[in-house]
Amino acid sequence: MTISRRQFVGGAGALAVATVLAAPPVLGQGKPRLVVVGGGAGGATVARYVAKDSAGAIDVTLVEPARTYVTCFHSNLFLGGFKSFESLVQSYDGLARAGVTLNHQAATAIDRDKKEVILADGSRLPYDRLVLSPGIDLKYDSVPGWGKEAEEIMPHAWKAGPQTRLLKARLDAVPDGGLVVMIAPPNPFRCPPGPYERASMMAHVLKTTGRGKAKIIILDPKEKFSKQGLFQEGWERHYPGMVEWMAPSISEGLKSVDPNTGTVVTGFETYRNAALVNVIPAQMAGAIARNAGLANASGYCPVNPDNMASQMDSAIFVVGDAAIPGDMPKSAFAANSQAKVAAMAVRAALLGARAFPARYANTCWSLIDTDDAVKVGGRYAPADGKIKEVEGFISQTGETAELRRKTQEENLGWYAGITADIFG
Ligand code: FAD
């Protein structure tokens, strides 16, 4: 029964039929059960949309240990002094109002045979469909000399919360003439323009607080990066001599860091006594997804581009940073977009609701200096077995100040809109 209905909704011509056949596929039980693990950009969106759009016909539980969610998105604007930390903190009250049951603990394992999520207190949550949106885990062993024990000295701030505040405090303590080194991550990673927006915000703070002789060196394992021409133009214009980006062909690669002395060694040079080293390590899907056998050798989870279902288990959907998103970047915008496709697929599978063909969208805005923002984005659809870009756009170098100011207005409007869409 379940399988035939899911086959129905996969074909556009059968959509009307699927709408009529609304009997729950899980007979002999109460309401069908959706469990969502991870209450971030992807998971909170799925939970809220399924609860809202099924009007109580699906029992939705969100498993998330944190009582509030701190957005990584716009955390660079906090670093740059453009936003307060408090403005990044989101409440789960809107999800509860939409009918989502909140279970504030971590999921420790998935029993795929029994279709149960095992929680930190040992209890088990049965599901008919499961959505995983656990975000990323950091590869603590990817930077020689650095590790979990060193993250208080050389912060990553790639998961928002105490690390975000720590990085801000450390930036505020950099003296004029001080050296900041950022270790940028290899692909694929959360928020491709994020490190370079962060460097811009660091330079902004240093310059506007009388520390214009400080220097920021970005050591990158990549030969090119997102919106490169736009960032480099902006650094030249706003922060001449302050930001230096090094491709691996120039730095000859990162060899090691020493958190005790603030030393960073590359093949080409040794940087000593850095006032701040921001290590953004390599990344992979959150452990709960990897340990459930849903990731491939890349460390991320392959999904069906039509509906975000795992390629390893069709009862489980993986959205957000943990998934392999084809041409989409790992962003909150993308996670929210994928989540809506997954929410629709869940309602189709559990209620026989109508499923439209999957369409995805993304835009990533980056602030370079006050009122000077740029963006990159696109629209995406399933094609050739992946989520494929069908249309793209990017800001241009040499744009007017007015256009850049409007782009920043869009950026602020987007944050207000997407947090309302995710959290209600
Ligand atoms: P997350 O939002 O990280 O949510 C994962 C959740 O899962 C967390 O709440 C975690 O506690 C929970 N979780 C993990 N494991 C378990 C478990 N076992 N049990 C229960 N819960 C669990 N994106 C944009 O679109 N625009 C931007 O401007 C932007 N700027 C960024 C700037 C920075 C500095 C960074 C680091 C990121 C930025 N991003 C931006 C990216 C964006 O934050 C992520 O892509 C997005 O949060 C991914 O959503 P997610 O749901 O996959 O993961």
Side-chain angles (χ1 to χ4, degrees):
M1 182 74 179
T2 310
I3 291 168
S4 65
R5 178 158 301 115
R6 285 177 53 251
Q7 285 169 340
F8 260 145
V9 298
L15 291 178
V17 181
T19 311
V20 176
L21 291 173
V26 189
L27 299 173
Q29 297 179 355
K31 289 182 198 175
R33 293 156 307 193
L34 170 67
V35 176
V36 180
V37 174
T45 303
V46 178
R48 198 174 85 80
Y49 267 72
V50 172
K52 176 171 76 68
D53 294 343
S54 69
I58 297 176
D59 187 1
V60 182
T61 301
L62 175 67
V63 178
E64 162 63 58
R67 297 271 162 181
T68 54
Y69 175 78
V70 183
T71 63
C72 269
F73 37 115
H74 281 199
S75 65
N76 284 332
L77 274 60
F78 162 66
L79 199 63
F82 291 92
K83 281 198 156 187
S84 68
F85 184 84
E86 290 67 33
S87 73
L88 305 177
V89 181
Q90 305 297 328
S91 152
Y92 288 112
D93 293 353
L95 272 78
R97 279 197 301 275
V100 176
T101 302
L102 297 164
N103 195 322
H104 284 299
Q105 52 181 321
T108 54
I110 314 287
D111 185 334
R112 283 169 49 191
D113 293 333
K114 290 193 181 142
K115 287 194 177 174
E116 289 175 345
V117 176
I118 300 159
L119 301 178
D121 67 1
S123 61
R124 288 172 169 255
L125 273 181
Y127 63 82
D128 298 305
R129 290 294 180 276
L130 172 64
V131 174
L132 298 182
S133 191
I136 49 139
D137 274 357
L138 305 175
K139 290 190 177 173
Y140 280 103
D141 58 359
S142 62
V143 174
W146 189 79
K148 177 91 183 135
E149 68 296 340
E151 71 181 6
E152 299 296 313
I153 308 170
M154 293 183 168
H156 54 81
W158 220 242
K159 291 191 177 198
Q163 277 277 311
T164 314
R165 285 185 189 270
L166 176 63
L167 183 65
K168 173 78 173 148
R170 293 290 305 278
L171 177 66
D172 289 346
V174 170
D176 193 18
L179 174 65
V180 177
V181 180
M182 174 189 287
I183 315 284
N187 290 323
F189 65 100
R190 157 177 286 184
C191 195
Y196 315 99
E197 179 185 55
R198 176 175 284 179
S200 308
M201 292 295 93
M202 286 176 162
H204 170 82
V205 167
L206 292 166
K207 184 181 160 187
T208 55
T209 51
R211 293 174 287 165
K213 292 199 209 64
K215 183 147 189 155
I216 301 165
I217 291 178
I218 307 169
L219 297 173
D220 213 317
K222 307 178 290 295
E223 286 295 334
K224 57 187 176 128
F225 63 89
S226 172
K227 293 186 265 194
Q228 182 164 352
L230 296 164
F231 279 115
Q232 289 182 322
E233 177 197 50
W235 295 338
E236 197 59 39
R237 176 165 358 122
H238 299 295
Y239 317 115
M242 287 186 76
V243 183
E244 189 176 348
W245 174 77
M246 288 203 209
S249 52
I250 305 292
S251 71
E252 295 178 16
L254 176 70
K255 300 299 174 205
S256 65
V257 301
D258 183 347
N260 296 320
T261 57
T263 304
V264 178
V265 183
T266 70
F268 182 68
E269 197 163 341
T270 296
Y271 303 94
R272 296 181 201 283
N273 299 316
L276 169 59
V277 181
N278 174 206
V279 177
I280 309 171
Q283 295 151 41
M284 57 190 162
I288 190 76
R290 285 182 290 112
N291 294 344
L294 302 174
N296 65 17
S298 72
Y300 292 99
C301 304
V303 291
N304 176 346
D306 293 319
N307 54 14
M308 301 304 295
S310 164
Q311 288 185 10
M312 319 299 194
D313 187 332
S314 60
I316 304 180
F317 296 79
V318 184
V319 300
D321 290 353
I324 296 174
D327 292 344
M328 298 186 86
K330 295 186 186 299
S331 74
F333 197 131
N336 171 261
S337 179
Q338 294 158 8
K340 290 176 193 171
V341 169
M344 184 170 64
V346 165
R347 289 194 304 111
L350 296 181
L351 298 179
R354 186 170 181 181
F356 295 91
R359 292 290 177 267
Y360 303 90
N362 180 65
T363 304
C364 287
W365 288 267
S366 301
L367 187 61
I368 300 178
D369 197 355
T370 309
D371 284 340
D372 186 359
V374 292
K375 64 180 173 182
V376 62
R379 293 189 306 106
Y380 311 79
D384 308 331
K386 67 169 189 172
I387 301 177
K388 196 169 177 181
E389 182 173 285
V390 290
E391 182 184 65
F393 54 86
I394 184 165
S395 297
Q396 301 298 304
T397 53
E399 285 175 341
T400 63
E402 179 57 10
L403 182 53
R404 292 294 179 86
R405 191 187 59 72
K406 282 195 174 139
T407 306
Q408 176 57 6
E409 264 177 30
E410 271 174 36
N411 185 13
L412 295 175
W414 167 76
Y415 184 91
I418 198 149
T419 49
D421 194 51
I422 297 169
F423 297 101

